[in-house]
Amino acid sequence: MAATKVMMVRPWKSTSADDDEKEISEMKPEGICNSLLSEEAAKVARLELREDESTKQQALQQIIEWINKNPDLKDCRTDSNFLLRFLRVKKFSVLMAQTMLLKYLNLRQTFPQLLMNLDYLQTPVLQLIDKGYLFPSPVRDKKGRRVIIGIAANFDPQKYNCEDMAKVHMLTYEALLEEEDTQVFGFTHFGDFRTMSTAHVMLWSPTVFATIFKWGEQSVPMRHKEVHFINVPSALKYVYDFTRSRLSQKIRDRFTIHGNLAELHSKLDPTILPKEYGGVIPMSQMIETWKEELAEKRERIMALDQMKLLDNTSILKRKDGNHNKNNRTSASSLSISGSFRKLEVD
C-alpha cells in the first residue's frame, strides 16, 4: 500500500507584517509573485498543466491587464494565488480562464444565499463542521491531493436546509483552493451516504439542484480527480444518476461506488480516512485541525464577497459570439432558470 503524504498547509498570510504588505503590493501586474508550489507540485504542473515560469508570468500579466480594463468587473482579486487557480484548471488558456472567472462570479451572484457570506463561525455552518458533515483529511493521498470527506448521517435534514449544506461545501472548496499545491494536484472526494433519505433530496428545488451541479463544475476552479462513494441507498440511485448526468463525461468516469469498506480501501488508502473508517486519526481530531485552518483563512474567504460582476452579458457574448447589444438580455431581467438557459455550459 502506497504511503500517504502529510498535508502541508500554506497559510495565506506571511509570518511578518512586512511580508504581508509586500504580498498586497504583488497584486499589481508589475509585482507578480513567484508561485508557492512545492517541488513535486511544480513537476506535476509542468507535465499536466504546461506551467513554467515564463508561461505563468505572461498569463498572469495578460489576465491582470484584462481585469483592470474590464468595466464589468469591480474589486476583483488580482493576486497570483487567486488567478492561478483559474489558469491552472484551464491549462493556461488565458481566454478560457477569463471565461471561467466570469462564470464563477456570476454563479456566486446568482445564488448569493448559497455561495456567499462564507463565515465558518455562523452557527449552522459551524455546527455542521463540528458534527463532521464535511471536512478534508489533514493527510494528502498518495498523489498529493486533499481528500474531502462527506458523511450524510451527520446532516439532519429536519434541522438544516439547503443553504446550510451549500455554504459548508463552498466554504470547504474556497479554503482549500488557497493552497497552491492543491490547485495543481486537485481533489479526491469520499462520501458515505448511509442514512441519506428523500428528506435530504427534498431540501432542494430540482432547478437549483441541477444548476448548481452543472455550473459548479464549469465555474469553480477545482481539479476533481477521484470520487468515491459508499453506502449509496438503492432507493436513491435515481438521485445519484441524475447528479452524474449533470456533469461532464470526464468527471462521470471518475465516480466509483463501493459496496463495503474493504472494497473502498482497495482503491483509497485507509490511512487518509478517519479512524472510524479504518484510518489512524480520529474524526474529531481531523475536524479540529480543519477548524484551525479555517480560522487562518477566514478573513480572506469572507473578502471574496467584495468582488462583483456588474454585467453578465460578456459571458453571453463569449458563448454565442453575438456582439449585437440589441440581442442581449440584461442580467437583472434573467430569472434563475432563464439565466442558465442563456449561459449554457460549453
Side-chain angles (χ1 to χ4, degrees):
M1 182 176 295
T4 55
K5 301 172 184 178
V6 176
M7 177 200 73
M8 294 180 63
V9 175
R10 297 179 182 273
W12 178 264
K13 294 185 176 180
S14 305
T15 55
S16 72
D18 289 342
D19 286 342
D20 286 342
E21 292 182 6
K22 180 175 182 292
E23 188 168 315
I24 291 172
S25 70
E26 288 171 341
M27 295 169 70
K28 300 179 181 180
E30 62 271 22
I32 295 174
C33 63
N34 294 325
S35 75
L36 302 175
L37 293 180
S38 65
E39 183 177 349
E40 187 171 357
K43 291 179 181 178
V44 172
R46 285 195 297 271
L47 291 173
E48 297 185 10
L49 309 180
R50 303 193 292 264
E51 177 177 341
D52 57 38
E53 194 63 26
S54 175
T55 298
K56 182 185 66 180
Q57 300 294 352
Q58 290 180 34
L60 284 169
Q61 185 80 26
Q62 290 176 43
I63 199 168
I64 290 172
E65 290 178 356
W66 168 77
I67 289 172
N68 289 336
K69 294 177 181 178
N70 193 327
D72 295 335
L73 295 174
K74 180 181 179 183
D75 297 327
C76 183
R77 275 176 62 173
T78 55
D79 58 280
S80 300
N81 179 290
F82 180 72
L83 298 180
L84 281 170
R85 63 190 68 175
F86 295 94
L87 288 165
R88 284 169 173 150
V89 83
K90 291 303 181 183
K91 298 184 178 181
F92 285 85
S93 165
V94 174
L95 180 60
M96 293 177 71
Q98 291 170 347
T99 301
M100 189 177 208
L101 173 57
L102 294 175
K103 289 181 177 181
Y104 163 83
L105 294 174
N106 187 71
L107 178 68
R108 284 171 51 88
Q109 291 177 190
T110 303
F111 298 105
Q113 73 279 19
L114 302 177
L115 307 177
M116 297 180 74
N117 191 24
L118 302 176
D119 187 358
Y120 87 100
L121 293 178
Q122 287 182 338
T123 299
V125 173
L126 185 58
Q127 286 180 346
L128 286 170
I129 293 172
D130 283 334
K131 291 175 184 292
Y133 166 61
L134 193 78
F135 58 94
S137 172
V139 182
R140 294 182 181 272
D141 70 10
K142 62 184 179 181
K143 295 186 178 179
R145 302 166 186 158
R146 292 300 298 267
V147 181
I148 300 175
I149 299 165
I151 304 173
N154 295 332
F155 185 99
D156 184 352
Q158 306 302 323
K159 184 175 181 180
Y160 303 103
N161 57 37
C162 65
E163 294 181 13
D164 304 326
M165 182 185 291
K167 283 189 174 184
V168 172
H169 280 266
M170 194 64 172
L171 170 65
T172 303
Y173 306 152
E174 294 284 15
L176 293 178
L177 283 170
E178 292 285 347
E179 306 166 2
E180 290 210 21
D181 276 14
T182 298
Q183 294 175 14
V184 171
F185 289 132
F187 297 85
T188 293
H189 301 266
F190 164 66
D192 180 359
F193 286 85
R194 181 178 56 85
T195 77
M196 184 177 176
S197 66
T198 55
H200 290 83
V201 179
M202 295 302 290
L203 294 174
W204 294 87
S205 77
T207 300
V208 173
F209 184 81
T211 301
I212 288 291
F213 268 91
K214 184 175 183 179
W215 268 80
E217 179 189 348
Q218 296 297 321
S219 304
V220 182
M222 299 174 67
R223 304 188 73 208
H224 305 284
K225 306 302 288 185
E226 295 181 31
V227 183
H228 299 272
F229 291 155
I230 194 171
N231 297 323
V232 177
S234 57
L236 293 179
K237 189 177 181 298
Y238 74 94
V239 178
Y240 169 79
D241 292 337
F242 176 77
T243 301
R244 287 182 76 251
S245 72
R246 309 305 298 177
L247 302 173
S248 68
Q249 187 63 50
K250 178 179 70 174
I251 300 299
R252 282 184 240 171
D253 292 342
R254 296 173 182 177
F255 274 64
T256 305
I257 295 181
H258 303 280
N260 51 55
L261 277 178
E263 188 176 313
L264 171 70
H265 292 168
S266 69
K267 299 295 183 180
L268 194 62
D269 187 343
T271 60
I272 64 179
L273 297 172
K275 187 175 182 179
E276 292 83 348
Y277 287 88
V280 177
I281 306 173
M283 186 185 305
S284 60
Q285 185 176 334
M286 287 189 171
I287 292 169
E288 289 305 311
T289 301
W290 175 229
K291 286 165 63 178
E292 292 174 5
E293 189 173 341
L294 288 173
E296 292 176 353
K297 300 174 180 178
R298 179 173 177 258
E299 291 184 8
R300 197 70 176 177
I301 293 170
M302 293 182 66
L304 292 169
D305 293 354
Q306 297 174 11
M307 297 187 294
K308 304 295 181 185
L309 177 64
L310 303 180
D311 189 347
N312 72 0
T313 54
S314 58
I315 310 176
L316 305 182
K317 183 172 68 176
R318 286 168 180 252
K319 175 60 186 174
D320 59 23
N322 184 359
H323 292 251
N324 187 346
K325 291 185 178 180
N326 294 328
N327 292 330
R328 297 181 198 163
T329 305
S330 67
S332 60
S333 68
L334 293 170
S335 65
I336 287 178
S337 58
S339 69
F340 283 94
R341 281 198 296 270
K342 289 287 186 182
L343 302 180
E344 191 174 341
V345 175
D346 295 331

